[in-house]
Amino acid sequence: MRIKKIFNNNVVLTENDNQVEIVVMGRGLAFQKKVGEEIDGSKVEKTFVIHSKNLSDKLSELLKEIPSDHLELSNDIIELAKRELDCHLNETIYLSLTDHIHFMLTRMQEGLTVRNPLLWEIKKFYKDEYQVANHAVQMIEKRTGIQLPDDEKASIALHLFNARKGSSGMEQTMKMTKIVNGITQIVKYHFGRAFDEESTNYNRFTTHLRYFAYRMIRGEVSDGDSDNSLFEQVSRQYSDAYQCTMKVQSYLKVNYSFEMSKEEMVYFIIHIHRLYSREKTE
């Protein structure tokens, strides 16, 4: 591989035979090297293949400003997430998470702690991502010696969820979290009881809510109506869940100018009834 751009002695940009750009890392990899020269393959420790040209350009700009060990930390966390979540992550995570880790460590060294207002919600609704983020923070603390607050676990978890679902950005992910939290609070106060947040029933319900909010923000929620007879049937049969669903409908309309179709309302009525009835029985 020939050097296309040198970021520092340890990080260079190369290109393979298919003209795909690859960021390559290794101690002293670019020492006394120039653009166009071959790199010593025995010194290569890590490689980052970026298929998007636009993303590659942005990552190249970022690498001019940050230490190579921040990129290495980010990559190790991404690999950890892929294993533990058993999923594909959007390539944008290499840019967003690397930038976040650099900014986070810079802030912490300057004594600036930023609170994450969604910490509680993220711990509750994105348990898998938060668990990975917890391991990631342990990794960062071990390598840097910098102690991080739980707020940073929540921020990393949001980056992972954002890349895992392929949504449009962090702002939308946070909006989705607020929607889910708002709906669960409505259900809680409507029935006047706290649900077991560790139960299978509750996890099943919040999973439905997360995907609903995800589709809602992306404009993918069904705008069609189900069979009116089915809607009328579940409304009568599960009247309490129906009343709760109407409160959810009002909340979404007032706060997000969104109106659920009858098809979505049917699903909500059934899910809410199942949650309440099973939790009540247990």
Side-chain angles (χ1 to χ4, degrees):
M1 292 183 287
R2 291 186 180 275
I3 298 175
K4 190 173 182 180
K5 185 181 296 185
I6 298 175
F7 300 113
N8 55 53
N9 281 339
N10 304 319
V11 186
V12 302
L13 179 69
T14 65
E15 192 174 73
N16 65 16
D17 295 337
N18 296 320
Q19 296 185 319
V20 174
E21 293 185 337
I22 305 174
V23 176
V24 182
M25 293 180 62
R27 188 172 300 277
L29 193 65
F31 181 65
Q32 295 184 333
K33 291 285 187 179
K34 296 180 181 179
V35 172
E37 293 183 352
E38 290 281 345
I39 61 172
D40 183 353
S42 65
K43 292 184 177 181
V44 174
E45 298 173 3
K46 292 183 182 293
T47 59
F48 310 85
V49 180
I50 307 297
H51 295 91
S52 167
K53 182 65 168 64
N54 181 51
L55 182 60
S56 178
D57 291 341
K58 290 180 179 179
L59 185 60
S60 295
E61 288 300 313
L62 180 63
L63 289 176
K64 294 177 182 177
E65 306 171 4
I66 70 171
S68 57
D69 56 345
H70 290 185
L71 173 62
E72 187 171 356
L73 259 175
S74 178
N75 180 68
D76 290 345
I77 291 171
I78 292 169
E79 292 304 313
L80 171 71
K82 288 178 180 178
R83 291 194 304 271
E84 295 198 4
L85 297 175
D86 190 23
C87 70
H88 169 76
L89 296 178
N90 191 294
E91 281 189 337
T92 56
I93 189 68
Y94 287 99
L95 181 66
S96 63
L97 186 60
T98 303
D99 187 46
H100 174 77
I101 288 175
H102 171 64
F103 184 54
M104 171 186 68
L105 291 176
T106 301
R107 281 191 289 100
M108 295 302 296
Q109 288 172 335
E110 295 173 352
L112 299 175
T113 301
V114 177
R115 311 304 299 179
N116 191 318
L118 297 177
L119 172 61
W120 182 78
E121 288 89 346
I122 293 166
K123 289 177 67 174
K124 185 169 67 169
F125 298 131
Y126 309 133
K127 293 181 180 179
D128 292 342
E129 289 83 359
Y130 188 82
Q131 182 66 21
V132 174
N134 182 52
H135 294 160
V137 164
Q138 292 174 6
M139 182 190 300
I140 295 171
E141 290 178 341
K142 183 176 180 180
R143 295 192 191 180
T144 65
I146 298 175
Q147 296 298 305
L148 302 175
D150 287 349
D151 300 79
E152 296 300 343
K153 299 176 185 177
S155 297
I156 292 174
L158 272 183
H159 278 286
L160 295 176
F161 181 83
N162 192 47
R164 185 178 184 180
K165 299 302 177 185
S167 57
S168 299
M170 186 62 64
E171 183 179 348
Q172 288 195 354
T173 302
M174 294 179 73
K175 180 179 178 181
M176 185 179 73
T177 305
K178 291 180 180 179
I179 292 172
V180 173
N181 185 56
I183 294 174
T184 56
Q185 291 301 307
I186 290 171
V187 176
K188 174 183 175 181
Y189 287 112
H190 176 81
F191 290 103
R193 62 170 297 163
F195 296 98
D196 179 5
E197 296 178 2
E198 300 299 323
S199 70
T200 300
N201 298 323
Y202 188 83
N203 286 329
R204 185 183 295 117
F205 178 63
T206 54
T207 296
H208 170 73
L209 292 186
R210 287 199 301 271
Y211 280 102
F212 167 77
Y214 176 70
R215 297 194 312 272
M216 171 183 155
I217 291 173
R218 291 170 62 89
E220 297 174 357
V221 176
S222 170
D223 58 0
D225 286 336
S226 65
D227 184 345
N228 278 336
S229 61
L230 176 60
F231 176 74
E232 296 297 333
Q233 179 184 346
V234 297
S235 298
R236 288 193 306 269
Q237 189 171 347
Y238 309 135
S239 59
D240 213 355
Y242 166 72
Q243 293 299 327
C244 182
T245 299
M246 294 305 294
K247 292 180 181 179
V248 173
Q249 161 79 307
S250 177
Y251 162 75
L252 295 176
K253 187 173 183 179
V254 170
N255 291 279
Y256 300 99
S257 300
F258 177 83
E259 191 160 353
M260 285 193 291
S261 67
K262 286 186 177 179
E263 182 178 14
E264 286 291 346
M265 291 179 70
V266 166
Y267 281 111
F268 261 83
I269 293 169
I270 293 173
H271 275 285
I272 290 173
H273 170 74
R274 182 167 61 176
L275 171 66
Y276 174 68
S277 61
R278 292 187 178 182
E279 289 280 306
K280 184 179 179 180
T281 301
E282 293 175 3

